[in-house]
Amino acid sequence: MKNILVSQPKPAVPEKSPFYEVAQKHHVEIGYKPFIRVVGVTLKEFRSQRIEILDHTAVIFTSRSTVDSFFHICEEARITVPETMKYICQTEAVALYLQKYIIYRKRKISFADGSFTSLVEQIVKHKEEKFLLALSEPHKPELPETLKTLKLAVDPVILSRTVAADLEEVELDKIDLLALYSPSDVKALIEKFGTENLPPIAVFGEGTLRTACEAGLTVVANAPTPQAPSMVKAIDLYLQKVAKGETIEPVMPVVDSEKEEFIRTQQHKLAKKSRTRRTTTATK
């Protein structure tokens, strides 16, 4: 095990990256190369989706790229976003990024901790709003499907697209492990190199794992898990096993029963509150 390629931009200061510690610990070379890039949709593409921004009272953002595209579309279409618009973000980093376009006020901006369950809980807290769900294509279907299941007023809209980066300089025959962060990374890899004679794969995220396995790729490490909350830790554990000569079984997707139970719980809470409101109204 000598060379690892990470599908992310090179850190501004590589020595401060957690990957640097792994490289020093296991005596491996770690290179960086984004496999994808994100581009905003055009105004024409946005309008073809027949979505009216001003018909909504809250916007859900899961990435900074959709924030950029949202305000670019508003500017190009000469739409003035009202100060009453609320914003719900998947992480604090995305919420703070809104300062590039608006004055940050806690009463209209809320954020989750990055997890699916935390984001859904934040949205449910504002269940009376009419939501615009800003998405990048491709995206995980679980969030729009869950919000639909919960019968919230949500309109999904594609604001950016993920396209493959130029991978001409990548020499896979010199790579011993690939670290991929998204299903789009997997698709860009296959589009360029096919599925044969690829190095072992480490993946981040349930969707990336599923996409890689469905394509027949050999996944040897994955995150986040209780043992490996980060990609860095997953690779560290994998390299420890390699050094010890342990047999490494391929990683396969598993059913997330906790997530399914969470969705059922949220459905029950919303249904209970709806019944309470109807009962109160009838009594009056």
Side-chain angles (χ1 to χ4, degrees), residues 22 59 64 90 105 114 141 158 263:
V22 171
V59 186
R64 289 183 292 184
Q90 187 159 23
R105 292 194 181 96
I158 303 301
I263 293 173

Side-chain angles (χ1 to χ4, degrees), residues 63-226:
S63 68
R64 289 183 292 184
S65 63
T66 52
V67 172
D68 285 332
S69 186
F70 174 81
F71 286 100
H72 175 73
I73 289 294
C74 289
E75 181 181 8
E76 199 171 350
R78 298 181 180 179
I79 297 172
T80 300
V81 182
E83 292 189 2
T84 54
M85 184 73 79
K86 293 183 180 179
Y87 303 92
I88 301 174
C89 305
Q90 187 159 23
T91 65
E92 184 178 10
V94 175
L96 292 173
Y97 189 72
L98 282 168
Q99 294 178 103
K100 182 177 178 181
Y101 299 99
I102 62 173
I103 297 174
Y104 191 98
R105 292 194 181 96
K106 290 184 178 180
R107 59 185 169 81
K108 69 175 183 179
I109 299 175
S110 56
F111 55 86
D113 62 9
S115 68
F116 171 82
T117 53
S118 177
L119 178 59
V120 172
E121 286 173 344
Q122 285 291 333
I123 295 169
V124 169
K125 286 180 182 178
H126 301 83
K127 59 184 179 297
E128 304 301 331
E129 306 293 339
K130 185 170 183 181
F131 300 100
L132 182 67
L133 174 57
L135 297 170
S136 183
E137 184 66 40
H139 59 270
K140 296 179 182 179
E142 59 182 349
L143 182 57
E145 287 179 358
T146 298
L147 299 182
K148 183 178 180 181
T149 300
L150 296 176
K151 297 182 179 179
L152 299 175
V154 181
D155 288 323
V157 61
I158 303 301
L159 291 182
S160 60
R161 300 188 189 282
T162 302
V163 298
D166 182 5
L167 301 178
E168 291 296 331
E169 297 178 358
V170 175
E171 299 179 90
L172 283 189
D173 58 334
K174 298 181 180 179
I175 304 299
D176 300 302
L177 179 69
L178 273 175
L180 305 180
Y181 280 79
S182 71
S184 296
D185 282 341
V186 176
K187 292 173 183 176
L189 172 70
I190 295 172
E191 183 180 309
K192 176 62 180 177
F193 300 102
T195 59
E196 301 296 325
N197 302 315
L198 296 179
I201 308 290
V203 300
F204 187 88
E206 177 186 336
T208 313
L209 174 61
R210 188 181 303 109
T211 302
C213 290
E214 289 174 353
L217 306 187
T218 302
V219 179
V220 295
N222 72 303
T225 68

